[in-house]
Amino acid sequence: MKSVDILDSDFILRRVPTYLPNYIKPDGTISSRAYQKKRDEDGVSVDLEKLSSFAKATLGDKRFRLLKLNAGVIRHDINDGLNTVHNPLPENDAHSLIIGHITESKQKQLLKNSVEVITSF
């Protein structure tokens, strides 16, 4: 698939595994580690909402929760070099990345500006 531009008005979706204790706090809320970049990745893996759905982003698995965040907020409010770029994969055309230096403080800001998507399968 050809790469598409992510506009400031677009939203990205971040899948959060509930079965990994680092992502869910004891009170059941999502931890800011949900926006932690894995060492071997170029950025935080997300899906572009306009090319995805709740079921697709969560892989249809009830063990995942889903966060939604505006790309413009990432670029202009949290900012400091953060950006969101489309990075389609053969198995996921909605795949995108939050790129830039993502510190613990930025992880907290990303979480604070996110909304959990609630839906049933």
Side-chain angles (χ1 to χ4, degrees):
M1 159 160 206
K2 183 177 151 184
S3 184
V4 299
D5 289 334
I6 298 179
L7 308 174
D8 285 348
S9 58
D10 286 329
F11 288 87
I12 54 100
L13 303 171
R14 174 71 173 159
R15 179 176 55 238
V16 181
T18 61
Y19 54 87
L20 295 175
N22 288 343
Y23 292 93
I24 306 298
K25 296 178 187 177
D27 67 2
T29 59
I30 296 173
S31 162
S32 60
R33 287 192 156 200
Y35 284 105
Q36 185 173 18
K37 183 182 97 152
K38 293 180 183 171
R39 286 187 185 159
D40 60 340
E41 292 185 348
D42 295 329
V44 176
S45 180
V46 294
D47 278 358
L48 181 56
E49 182 186 44
K50 66 185 177 186
L51 299 177
S52 192
S53 66
F54 181 88
K56 183 177 175 182
T58 59
L59 307 174
D61 188 331
K62 293 181 182 184
R63 297 177 305 153
F64 291 105
R65 289 165 65 180
L66 197 64
L67 295 173
K68 179 177 177 174
L69 179 59
N70 177 265
V73 168
I74 294 169
R75 291 179 181 137
H76 305 293
D77 294 350
I78 300 169
N79 198 355
D80 196 25
L82 294 186
N83 197 6
T84 306
V85 295
H86 190 221
N87 179 252
L89 300 174
E91 68 279 3
N92 182 4
D93 60 347
H95 184 263
S96 301
L97 294 169
I98 300 172
I99 58 171
H101 184 64
I102 302 174
T103 61
E104 285 184 37
S105 172
K106 291 224 182 9
Q107 290 172 32
K108 290 176 182 175
Q109 290 177 57
L110 289 164
L111 181 63
K112 180 182 171 197
N113 285 282
S114 297
V115 181
E116 186 169 0
V117 178
I118 307 291
T119 190
S120 58
F121 286 93

